Amino acid sequence: MDNLIIILALILIFVYLIKRWFLSSYTGYWTKLGIISIKNKVSLFDLLTGKKSNNDGDMQHYTALGQERYGGLMEFGIPLLLVKDLSLARTIFIKDFHHFSERRDVPNSSDTLITDSLFFMRGQSWKNMRTFLSPGFTSGMVRKKFPHFARSATNLQNWMNTHQKTSSGEYEIPVSDAMRKYAVEVIGAAAFGLNLNIFSDKNSKFLEMADRIENINVWQKFKFAIFQTFPRFADLFKISPLDSDMSKYFRNVLASAIEARELSSCGEKDFLQLLVDLKTGTGKIEVQAKQGDHKSREDLAVSQACLFLIAGFDTVANNLMVSTYMLATYPELQQKVREEVDRICGESEICYDHINEMGFLDNFIAETLRLYPGVPRLERKCVLDYPIPNSTHVIPKGTIVIVVAESVHKDAQYWTNPLRFDPDRFNLENKAIQNNNAYMPFGIGPRNCIGIKFALVETKLALATLVKHYEISGTETTQDYVPVKDLFGYKTHPDLKLRFKPRK
Ligand code: HEM
């Protein structure tokens, strides 16, 4: 009997997948709407075996559209409208945001850490939560938290100095390891008041669990593909992309951090205090939780805490890895960053105001994010039928709209010599001749990244610290480890090592 059920289930799955595969090559959906259709270049096999993710075909789809403003494709049964025209993209993401205020649906049965997080919240609940949490991420708040950032930058430097020097007096440092440690320590301390000692604790459970966010195996990639592309199927079989040990661990640690602040409030209105207010109901916020009932406030607070850890850790660590790689690859630009840092800081410690003055370093990071975006695809869900301006087309409610940030960032229409690494293209005078709308590493409109300031200050401080104290160069194998796009964006290979020669 059991075997029969398994066989029936397998047949059902097979029929379901074939149907979705068929729908993916089916162009009739868009043709009926009068909208040009492109064929999905990602195969079901590649998707389910983790060889490719949904956004791996995006750049080909973007090119296939030629001069068209937009076009449709089917992502295994989900209709996607790829918007190429930048002014239409901005209209959709900003002016007509009320038609596009959500991200794609996630399975109903998902962990509440996902469904109740700001990232996937919907409608008025999202709006209320975003307004409620925003004061935790202002420039003033990042300035207040700067001592935490600075402590971790010093810890990074001290840790690097514990490595064995080569015969030519350099440290050979695994860049991925260094940047992941730094990024997790900063977010732990600045957002949650945790004293993690990541650099000295060789067996840090916190880092081990954080690493599970992105170091995922083929099975987890499969689960992620099902979760993202086949939500009903994920519902049926209770498939979650989150590692259950990891979500249990962070739920406990972050709930304890919120409780610790609740018991010993320091009077500071920071992110952690906002979470306490959310939990205790001190902060007035109306949020419609999943399935219509009111979730316990503590769960809601912990969901936001986990999201900020997940969203704020990998993105920053990955960008830092790639930026450091670029510093080593372009020694003359590295020298220019160093001269700027030396001129601004002299012999003194790097402070928040110094960071704000470092314009060339800003450009260097912007250029890294242009060529190697951490989030290569932006998405919104159409929540209200939408007549596309200057056309006769109407896109139905439920359609997912995507903008391929990576393609826009590399499009010769908007950037001269687009594949060249040239931070000076972000100089004020050069900016004027470029299309500002063609740069979107942190998203577009009211639902863009809430942590931009936090991320940029954290990144600038780490890079400024490195060039201030070391000359960075590659090893014999550096060229084998060019940055690669993984499931979530660009990063460097875990085995990449770079040389750091102390300056004095
Ligand atoms: C280099 C680092 C980072 C990059 C490249 C990045 C990029 C992005 C992008 C592209 C989005 C989607 C925007 C859109 O759909 O228009 C996003 C959303 C988000 N990011 Fe970031 N991010 C970074 C760091 C951070 C940090 C440090 C935090 C928090 C501490 C954070 C928190 C969030 C949150 C909560 C959202 C969802 C916002 C919403 O739906 O209202 N991010 N990020």
Side-chain angles (χ1 to χ4, degrees), residues 93 103 118-121 126 130 137 187 191 304 307-309 311-317 319-320 365 369 373-380 440-452 454-456 458-459:
F93 278 67
R103 296 208 164 85
L118 182 72
F119 199 85
F120 285 112
M121 271 186 169
W126 166 77
R130 174 96 187 198
F137 292 90
I187 191 105
Q304 309 322 312
L307 166 68
F308 282 91
L309 178 70
F313 161 53
D314 257 346
T315 46
V316 171
N319 177 241
L320 271 170
I365 294 166
L369 281 168
V375 184
R377 175 203 273 195
L378 306 176
E379 279 193 2
R380 292 290 182 273
M440 50 188 78
F442 292 102
I444 312 173
R447 209 153 182 170
N448 71 352
C449 178
I450 202 174
I452 303 176
F454 189 104
L456 288 179
E458 179 183 0
T459 304

Side-chain angles (χ1 to χ4, degrees), residues 286-307:
E286 200 48 52
V287 174
Q288 188 74 29
K290 191 174 92 175
Q291 278 139 21
D293 58 338
H294 279 276
K295 291 282 308 156
S296 102
R297 287 183 162 270
E298 180 176 9
D299 268 7
L300 207 53
V302 172
S303 296
Q304 309 322 312
C306 273
L307 166 68

